[in-house]
């Protein structure tokens, strides 16, 4: 269940943040120019954003993308949303990282996330929500992207800190992330490459 995967992901982030010391927060990651704290800061708004989305009315606009894979593919088009916003996302994360305490960041996952998860369990996940200010998707599909974001960036930090991977994200959270990435790839090209029938480039499907 997607809510279970999201809860697993955010619990892992809460535990991770609670155990880091000053040197670990400042350590560089495999994302050029991003420290552990920068990456943590980038992911930290998701619980509050989820809670706000649950409590907000559904948008009047029609669905722009039926599923998370379609939205990700759209965002990753050459010159598209992901490419255009990459530097802005980095600047925003690094700026907020300098002004927010580690306690404030961890509280997003330790305090706000459990509230959001509890509300999600009572919510209609087929209702539509805004995503990123440019898309309208079913809530369930937005949550799949939130899990993928949480898993991918947790692995960024785990690599920087030499932690076990996937560690606490093994199981449902990891499956959601892998399934979504596979769905985002061109299906025929992915099958041919995965079965050794083609060496045409399939990956990455997102950056």
């Amino acid at each position: 269940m997607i809510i279970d995967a999201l809860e697993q992901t955010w619990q892992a982030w809460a535990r991770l943040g609670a155990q880091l010391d000053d040197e670990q927060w400042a350590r560089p990651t495999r994302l050029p120019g991003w420290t552990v704290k920068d990456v943590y800061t980038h992911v930290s708004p998701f619980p509050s954003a989820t809670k706000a989305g649950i409590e907000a009315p559904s948008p009047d606009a029609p669905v722009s993308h039926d599923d998370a894979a379609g939205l990700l593919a759209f965002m990753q088009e050459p010159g598209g949303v992901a490419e255009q916003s990459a530097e802005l996302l980095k600047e925003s994360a690094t700026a907020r990282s300098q002004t927010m305490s580690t306690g404030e960041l961890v509280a997003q996952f330790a305090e706000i996330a459990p509230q959001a998860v509890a509300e999600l369990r009572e919510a209609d996940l087929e209702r539509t929500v805004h995503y990123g200010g440019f898309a309208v998707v079913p809530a369930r599909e937005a949550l799949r992207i939130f899990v993928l974001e949480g898993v991918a960036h947790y692995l960024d930090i785990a690599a920087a800190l030499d932690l076990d991977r996937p560690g606490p994200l093994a199981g449902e959270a990891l499956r959601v992330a892998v399934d979504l990435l596979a769905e985002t790839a061109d299906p025929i090209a992915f099958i041919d490459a995965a079965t050794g029938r083609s060496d045409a480039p399939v990956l990455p499907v997102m950056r």
Side-chain angles (χ1 to χ4, degrees), residues 105-174:
L105 296 174
V106 175
Q108 286 294 315
F109 297 104
E111 300 173 15
I112 305 300
Q115 298 172 19
V117 168
E119 292 185 27
L120 282 172
R121 295 194 184 281
E122 303 297 325
D124 174 14
L125 298 188
E126 304 310 317
R127 67 186 290 267
T128 57
V129 295
H130 285 292
Y131 184 91
F134 61 88
V136 176
V137 296
R140 182 183 304 278
E141 299 304 306
L143 298 183
R144 295 177 70 202
I145 297 178
F146 291 176
V147 172
L148 173 58
E149 287 273 355
V151 170
H153 287 305
Y154 184 96
L155 297 180
D156 289 330
I157 292 178
L161 300 178
D162 297 321
L163 303 178
D164 288 339
R165 298 187 301 162
L169 296 181
E172 190 63 22
L174 195 64

Side-chain angles (χ1 to χ4, degrees), residues 15-30 34-41 97 102 105 154 156-164:
R15 291 194 296 272
L16 173 67
Q19 71 185 24
L20 300 182
D21 59 29
D22 290 344
E23 184 275 329
Q24 290 172 314
W25 280 109
R27 196 175 298 184
T29 69
R30 60 189 179 184
W34 293 67
T35 67
V36 166
K37 189 179 180 186
D38 294 336
V39 176
Y40 201 103
T41 302
S97 175
T102 57
L105 296 174
Y154 184 96
D156 289 330
I157 292 178
L161 300 178
D162 297 321
L163 303 178
D164 288 339

